[in-house]
DNA sequence: TAATAAGTAACCGCAGAGATTACATCTGTC
DNA sequence: GACAGATGTAATCTCTGCGGTTACTTATTA
């Protein structure tokens, strides 16, 4: 959803876009978009203004925003769930495995992050525009 | 949790272990463990028998089981959530972005998988045993 | 035959994410 | 200054998934 929103902002090339408009593209509620934009603002990816006739726009050029940044801005948790209950510390495996799993998962997450870094928002836009030939319908 | 269970099985080196015992180490309910074991059975990672005095054991040596297999056995879904609502197809971005995101996420997931493949269950056991020196308490 | 342990169904509770409504706050324009 | 347009934000609802629990069935071994 975050990538979708940023892609629309990139598509509009610096014009300010309202949360209502973005919600229309993602097909959701403006409030959901605003909550998402708050995260993106904290990550300095977008610039949002209140007031009549304003809205949000990208804070950097699409070529200088990669998807790893977007992921970090939106998903604070790692994709691996940490169980609520602590393992049984009386068991030698249970006592030590969490630390080891943390190491392994951090490494796996880093590998994924490095892959996401290879793709910029500009790449996404380029691909969307290229495959966009299939639908000449233009509403924006 | 799956790695934890498999680690205990590897720790017991071929002995059959009951779901009740595994539940004790993970600190959860035997039924949860059994449900997990069903997935691991389908992936041919463990071998489970019913009846008195039986239980589960590894189907392969720990050195020949890598964590990517474990992840695939347990998590059928990718770590990237797919929104329930379809994007607005009237928007040029909304219409084409899903296909593009699928490509990107598949690549990122593959990068993570390749990293997980580097670690075998034997590696986990070795690390656990090494750091296990901190707690001489032995209940198993 | 009895004890043991997995298979499995049914249900509860909790947490997270999106959806919705309502209201406060800020800002540009008239 | 008033008003309209837009964000910020809280409260609540629903839905889904996961773990937890109980209870019962089935299979195997002693």
């Amino acid at each position: 959803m975050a990538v979708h929103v940023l892609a629309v902002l990139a598509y509009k090339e610096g014009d300010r876009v309202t949360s209502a408009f973005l919600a229309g593209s993602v097909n959701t509620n403006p409030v959901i978009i605003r909550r998402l934009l708050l995260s993106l603002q904290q990550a300095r990816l977008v610039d949002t203004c209140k007031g009549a006739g304003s809205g949000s726009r990208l804070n950097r050029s699409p070529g200088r925003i990669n998807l790893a940044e977007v992921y970090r801005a939106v998903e604070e948790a790692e994709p691996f769930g940490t169980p609520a209950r602590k393992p049984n510390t009386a068991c030698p495996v249970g006592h030590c495995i969490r630390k080891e799993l943390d190491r392994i998962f951090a490494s796996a997450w880093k590998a994924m992050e490095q892959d996401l870094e290879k793709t910029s928002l500009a790449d996404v836009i380029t691909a969307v525009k290229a495959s966009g030939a299939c639908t000449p319908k233009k509403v924006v």
Side-chain angles (χ1 to χ4, degrees), chain A:
Chain A
M1 224 169 93
V3 179
H4 187 152
V5 165
L6 291 171
V8 173
L9 292 180
Y11 202 85
K12 306 284 276 186
E13 292 174 355
D15 291 358
R16 291 205 176 271
V17 182
T18 69
S19 62
F21 182 91
L22 293 168
S25 173
V26 181
N27 196 20
T28 183
N29 196 288
V31 176
I32 306 295
I33 298 296
R34 283 181 216 143
R35 288 205 278 243
L36 177 60
L37 286 172
L38 289 180
S39 300
L40 297 177
Q41 283 169 47
Q42 289 180 344
R44 309 276 179 177
L45 293 178
V46 302
D47 163 38
T48 301
C49 282
K50 286 183 173 183
S54 51
S56 301
R57 69 182 175 195
L58 291 185
N59 217 351
R60 282 183 239 161
S61 76
R64 301 187 58 229
I65 296 177
N66 68 63
L67 299 192
E69 289 178 279
V70 178
Y71 194 110
R72 281 194 297 263
V74 172
E75 305 281 353
E76 67 287 352
E78 296 187 3
F80 303 97
T82 308
R85 291 202 182 189
K86 302 292 176 198
N88 181 356
T89 54
C91 167
V93 175
H95 186 263
C96 302
I97 198 167
R98 178 127 322 276
K99 192 173 27 147
E100 184 59 18
L101 286 178
D102 285 345
R103 269 196 45 246
I104 293 165
F105 291 163
S107 168
W109 155 244
K110 190 172 183 180
M112 195 179 84
E113 199 173 20
Q114 284 173 348
D115 186 84
L116 287 176
E117 272 174 9
K118 293 179 195 163
T119 306
S120 75
L121 198 54
D123 296 332
V124 176
I125 291 297
T126 303
V128 166
K129 280 184 178 169
S131 71
C134 56
T135 47
K137 201 194 301 182
K138 185 147 190 173
V139 176
V140 178

